[in-house]
């Protein structure tokens, strides 16, 4: 009976968070005629793939789900999870303001996500103090360095999630796979709080996900993306700092695809003499959705292709999360695996997505501008 009671106590906030997130997501869609003037994501733009204006405030439902789940969580989880949720507020709020006004600069949102990382340190006391690189480990012994490094790392992951958020279910599924990997590893190491916290966040994302995928009735928006990016980043920080047998490079595997994508995008834009933040349609998910998915689903609607493409690319985060379960205690193996996934990404990008002879003559002309990378 004790086991059953403990199981129900742990499961209750997960179910409550899922239900609250799903309910708010549905309400947001049903009331869009009242708030759509401010919350719609326009269907025009270089990176837009949807046809009709759609609410982009799905982050509201996830935040409501998190708050609801925390309030009904067991005391030992609630006391540790509240600071985590509160620390995500700056990233969420600045992103939400952008969703409504479209006037918040990238720099302001970057600083907001860094502020969330610093606030998390103030509220929890956790900060990255070791990355298994001698010079860096020495520098991280200084509080100011470790705090700034942690804030920068958190902001980097959050903004990388924002960059890959281009298809229905893509960002949400990637974050869920990453958090599930952290939860499984934390559970195997006896860190029941972190495992439970990750499952709660996953449940809240899943409530939104059921409205977002496959019909794209609601988008995450910047508020949701930055909130989820922060949640995943901070889960990785806690995994390393609460469990010293876990290498920092193993934690990086849970964010592998977004981090590799943003790094390669910056390199790609640099060699094309473009600003690092310049928007384009040359991201991995953009090319995959335009050139691979139509071949897999030639008679399907654009919305269905968008959703299937998002789920397929989101699944790219599953393999690194699985590999991390085996190499988590070894920095060399973890680094080797991360490099391996990076090389695999580049090969897929250059040899499959932009290789001219892989496409028809018309597609080859479209690929000409990316064949140089």
């Amino acid at each position: 009976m004790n086991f059953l009671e403990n199981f129900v106590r742990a499961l209750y906030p997960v179910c409550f968070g899922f239900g609250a997130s799903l309910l708010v997501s549905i309400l947001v869609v049903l009331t869009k005629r009242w708030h759509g003037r401010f919350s719609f994501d326009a269907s025009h733009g270089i990176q837009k793939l949807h046809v009709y204006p759609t609410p982009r405030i799905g982050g509201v439902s996830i935040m409501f789900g998190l708050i609801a789940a925390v309030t009904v969580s067991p005391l030992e989880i609630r006391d540790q999870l509240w600071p985590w949720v509160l620390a995500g507020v700056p990233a969420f709020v600045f992103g939400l303001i952008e969703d409504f006004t479209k006037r918040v600069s990238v720099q302001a949102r970057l600083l907001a996500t860094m502020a969330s990382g610093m606030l998390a340190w103030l509220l929890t006391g956790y900060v990255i103090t070791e990355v298994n690189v001698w010079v860096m480990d020495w520098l991280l012994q200084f509080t100011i360095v470790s705090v700034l490094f942690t804030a920068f790392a958190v902001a980097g992951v959050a903004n990388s999630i924002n960059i890959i958020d281009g298809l229905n279910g893509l960002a949400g599924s990637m974050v869920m796979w990453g958090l599930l990997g952290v939860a499984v590893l934390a559970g195997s190491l006896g860190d029941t709080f972190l495992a439970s916290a990750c499952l709660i966040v996953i449940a809240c994302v899943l409530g939104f996900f059921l409205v977002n995928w496959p019909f794209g009735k609601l988008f995450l928006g910047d508020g949701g993306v930055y909130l989820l990016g922060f949640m995943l980043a901070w889960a990785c920080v806690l995994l390393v700092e609460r469990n010293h047998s876990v290498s920092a490079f193993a934690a990086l595997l849970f964010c592998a695809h977004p981090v590799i994508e943003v790094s390669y995008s910056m390199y790609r834009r640099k060699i094309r003499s473009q600003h690092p933040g310049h928007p384009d349609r040359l991201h991995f998910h953009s090319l995959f959705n335009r050139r691979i998915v139509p071949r897999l689903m030639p008679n399907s609607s654009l919305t269905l292709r968008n959703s299937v493409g998002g789920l397929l690319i989101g699944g790219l985060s599953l393999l690194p999360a699985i590999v991390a379960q085996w190499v988590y205690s070894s920095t060399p193996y973890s680094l080797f695996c991360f490099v391996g996934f990076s090389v695999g990404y580049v090969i897929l990008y250059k040899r499959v997505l932009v290789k001219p002879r892989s496409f028809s003559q018309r597609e080859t002309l479209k690929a000409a501008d990316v064949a140089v990378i």
Side-chain angles (χ1 to χ4, degrees), residues 62-77:
I62 295 175
M63 179 58 86
F64 265 93
L66 287 171
I67 293 172
V70 173
T71 56
V72 300
S73 294
L75 186 61
E76 62 273 16
I77 295 178

Side-chain angles (χ1 to χ4, degrees), residues 305-372:
R305 290 179 186 176
N306 183 327
S307 299
V308 171
L311 203 61
L312 289 175
I313 300 176
L316 292 177
S317 288
L318 178 57
L319 184 57
I322 293 175
V323 170
Q325 311 299 318
W326 299 93
V327 301
Y328 70 88
S329 61
S330 171
T331 294
Y333 286 158
S334 298
L335 179 58
F336 176 80
C337 290
F338 183 80
V339 172
F341 285 120
S342 301
V343 172
Y345 169 93
V346 174
I347 292 174
L348 284 174
Y349 189 97
K350 298 185 70 171
R351 299 302 180 187
V352 178
L353 298 182
V354 302
K355 189 177 183 180
R357 65 171 176 267
S358 300
F359 308 109
S360 66
Q361 184 177 2
R362 183 179 178 185
E363 288 173 313
T364 300
L365 292 174
K366 292 179 180 178
D369 63 330
V370 295
V372 297

Side-chain angles (χ1 to χ4, degrees), residues 40 50 52 55 62 66 122 138 147 182 184 212 214 219 303 373:
F40 276 161
H50 57 288
Y52 303 105
I62 295 175
L66 287 171
L122 288 172
W138 178 77
V147 170
V182 174
V184 171
N212 168 255
F219 296 156
T303 299
I373 49 182

Side-chain angles (χ1 to χ4, degrees), residues 90-364:
F92 169 69
V93 168
F94 273 74
L96 190 63
I97 294 173
E98 164 64 11
D99 292 331
F100 280 114
T101 68
K102 286 75 174 179
R103 294 180 179 177
V104 181
S105 67
V106 174
Q107 292 82 358
R109 282 174 276 156
L110 178 64
L111 290 174
T113 52
M114 291 184 68
S116 284
M118 298 180 78
L119 182 58
W121 162 66
L122 288 172
L123 294 175
T124 67
Y126 287 108
V127 69
I128 298 174
T129 58
E130 187 177 18
V131 293
N132 306 114
V133 177
W134 181 80
V135 176
M136 280 300 301
D137 287 348
W138 178 77
L139 289 172
L140 289 173
Q141 300 309 305
F142 301 96
T143 301
I144 184 63
V145 175
S146 60
V147 170
L148 289 176
F149 180 81
T150 302
F152 182 79
V154 167
V157 171
N159 280 271
S160 68
I161 297 293
N162 184 45
I163 286 177
I164 61 95
D165 181 34
L167 301 174
N168 292 337
L170 175 52
S173 60
M174 275 197 171
V175 169
M176 285 193 290
W177 286 127
L179 287 172
L180 182 60
V182 174
V184 171
L185 182 53
S188 69
L189 296 173
D191 193 343
T192 55
F193 157 70
L194 184 55
S196 299
C198 288
L199 292 178
I200 288 173
V201 179
I202 291 171
C204 295
V205 179
L206 187 59
F208 154 82
F209 188 86
L210 294 182
V211 178
N212 168 255
W213 196 93
F215 300 113
K217 298 296 183 180
L218 178 65
F219 296 156
L220 267 177
D222 282 33
V225 167
Y226 286 122
L227 176 62
L228 291 189
F230 166 76
M231 288 291 171
L232 177 59
W234 195 248
C236 292
V237 171
L238 291 179
L239 178 66
V240 173
E241 292 303 312
R242 290 170 59 92
N243 304 277
H244 295 294
S245 62
V246 179
S247 167
F249 287 99
L252 188 61
L253 288 172
F254 297 114
C255 320
H257 181 84
V259 171
I260 296 169
E261 169 72 22
V262 71
S263 300
Y264 190 72
S265 295
M266 292 174 66
Y267 163 76
R268 170 168 53 79
R269 289 164 181 163
K270 177 179 175 59
I271 65 173
R272 292 166 63 88
S273 300
Q274 295 175 332
H275 188 277
H278 178 74
D280 58 39
R281 299 182 66 192
L282 303 180
H283 289 295
F284 189 99
H285 63 268
S286 301
L287 294 172
F288 185 87
N289 195 58
R290 296 207 315 268
R291 297 177 176 174
I292 303 300
V293 177
R295 295 185 170 201
L296 300 175
M297 310 172 62
N299 301 316
S300 300
S301 67
L302 291 176
T303 299
L304 187 56
R305 290 179 186 176
N306 183 327
S307 299
V308 171
L311 203 61
L312 289 175
I313 300 176
L316 292 177
S317 288
L318 178 57
L319 184 57
I322 293 175
V323 170
Q325 311 299 318
W326 299 93
V327 301
Y328 70 88
S329 61
S330 171
T331 294
Y333 286 158
S334 298
L335 179 58
F336 176 80
C337 290
F338 183 80
V339 172
F341 285 120
S342 301
V343 172
Y345 169 93
V346 174
I347 292 174
L348 284 174
Y349 189 97
K350 298 185 70 171
R351 299 302 180 187
V352 178
L353 298 182
V354 302
K355 189 177 183 180
R357 65 171 176 267
S358 300
F359 308 109
S360 66
Q361 184 177 2
R362 183 179 178 185
E363 288 173 313
T364 300

Side-chain angles (χ1 to χ4, degrees), residues 36-37 39-56 102 166 168 216 219 281 302-303 306:
R37 177 183 174 186
S39 64
F40 276 161
D41 187 24
S43 57
H44 59 275
I46 191 170
Q47 295 179 322
K48 305 301 181 183
L49 297 175
H50 57 288
V51 178
Y52 303 105
T54 305
R56 52 178 285 174
K102 286 75 174 179
N168 292 337
F219 296 156
R281 299 182 66 192
L302 291 176
T303 299
N306 183 327

Side-chain angles (χ1 to χ4, degrees), residues 77-96:
I77 295 178
R78 186 192 317 161
D79 289 346
Q80 297 185 69
L81 192 53
W82 262 127
W84 192 357
V85 175
L86 289 175
V89 169
F92 169 69
V93 168
F94 273 74
L96 190 63

